[in-house]
Amino acid sequence: MRIYAISDLHTDFRENREALERAVGHGHRGDALIVAGDVADSEAVLRDTLGLLVSRFAEVFFVPGNHELWVRAEERTSVDKFHAVLRVCEQVGVRTRPARVGGAWVVPLFSWYDASFDVRGEGVQAELEAWSDLYFCRWPPDVERVDQLFLAMNEPHVHEYDVPAITFSHFVPRPELLPRVYSLSFKGLPLVAGSLGIDDQVRRAGAAVHVFGHSHIARDEVIDGVRYVQNYFRRADVAAGNSPFQLVWDGEMHPLFC
């Protein structure tokens, strides 16, 4: 079974939804798909999009991104929304827990970001004034570090597996997977990009491949023996007749290295 990856579908936007519908054919009935977060903040749109993918792939795996946890003017917290999103996944047949797929384990890692990820001290705090999470997310008052809350949920699944593991998170696992700030248009990104604890879990799970999203910066590189892949959804690929899904595992006992 081949395993493909994508992130940041953002099908709240009609143009993205229409492009995804054009791109999703019937050629993946025997394949698995990893969706590394940020499909939609609307539960209805999330359900519809994941349902479409489930109808086209043999297995679909998903972790929520920051957009899924927006609550806007609702009374519930983002933690409540997180659990509601997991219920949507269960109802439509999307996996949010580890499962073996052919010759590999796919291991979802829930995650969030923390400013300590900016180890170079380059992030520009003033650029976060318009950062939507500050206005649309609401956390319980006893949660001091949101990234630690989600990392703790992963711990029961962070161990060596009997065949190669493909882990995935929405947020960025290593600072070096971001460009230097001088080349970014959004210079606050390092402050809201990832958590150092993600890569600790990637390594303890013995991952051969780690898929992530969030930054909308395509990556495919090997660092210290792990292949890191970000393949965010691009309508231009679909318009050019190319598949938006990136192959990250070829169904054998070894990963595809580029």
Side-chain angles (χ1 to χ4, degrees), residues 153-169:
M153 295 180 186
N154 301 330
E155 280 299 317
H157 310 300
V158 178
H159 55 76
E160 293 279 349
Y161 287 82
D162 59 345
V163 295
I166 302 172
T167 54
F168 72 101
S169 61

Side-chain angles (χ1 to χ4, degrees), residues 10-12 38-43 45-46 49 67-68 81:
H10 294 293
T11 50
D12 292 293
D38 273 11
V39 170
D41 69 289
S42 161
E43 288 179 53
V45 175
L46 175 68
T49 303
H67 283 238
E68 276 80 30
K81 179 79 177 294

Side-chain angles (χ1 to χ4, degrees), residues 44 128 135 157 255:
L128 299 185
Y135 308 99
H157 310 300

Side-chain angles (χ1 to χ4, degrees), residues 9 19 52 57 59-61 79 83 115 139 155 169 186 193 201-202 207-208 218 225-226 243 248 250:
L9 291 169
L52 172 65
F57 285 83
E59 296 281 3
V60 177
F61 292 80
V79 174
H83 291 293
W139 304 105
E155 280 299 317
S169 61
F186 172 42
Q201 294 188 331
V202 169
V226 178
S243 172
V248 295
D250 64 2

Side-chain angles (χ1 to χ4, degrees), residues 99-228:
R100 183 163 174 167
V101 176
W105 276 88
V106 178
V107 183
L109 297 178
F110 303 135
S111 61
W112 199 256
Y113 51 80
D114 187 76
S116 61
F117 187 76
D118 181 21
V119 295
R120 300 171 181 145
E122 294 181 337
V124 179
Q125 184 70 38
E127 295 225 351
L128 299 185
E129 290 182 3
W131 183 243
S132 296
D133 293 355
L134 298 178
Y135 308 99
F136 296 156
C137 291
R138 181 184 305 109
W139 304 105
D142 59 340
V143 175
E144 295 183 4
R145 278 188 54 169
V146 179
D147 66 323
Q148 296 298 322
L149 171 71
F150 289 111
L151 291 171
M153 295 180 186
N154 301 330
E155 280 299 317
H157 310 300
V158 178
H159 55 76
E160 293 279 349
Y161 287 82
D162 59 345
V163 295
I166 302 172
T167 54
F168 72 101
S169 61
H170 177 64
F171 296 99
V172 185
R174 296 178 68 104
E176 59 264 53
L177 292 167
L178 291 181
R180 300 301 295 265
V181 163
Y182 64 78
S183 66
L184 296 172
S185 57
F186 172 42
K187 300 189 185 306
L189 180 60
L191 297 167
V192 292
S195 168
L196 298 174
I198 300 170
D199 202 52
D200 172 68
Q201 294 188 331
V202 169
R203 299 282 162 169
R204 288 193 285 123
V209 180
H210 182 78
V211 175
F212 65 101
H214 187 56
S215 66
H216 292 225
I217 300 170
R219 302 302 293 256
D220 191 343
E221 63 182 281
V222 177
I223 302 175
D224 295 335
V226 178
R227 180 185 176 198
Y228 295 88

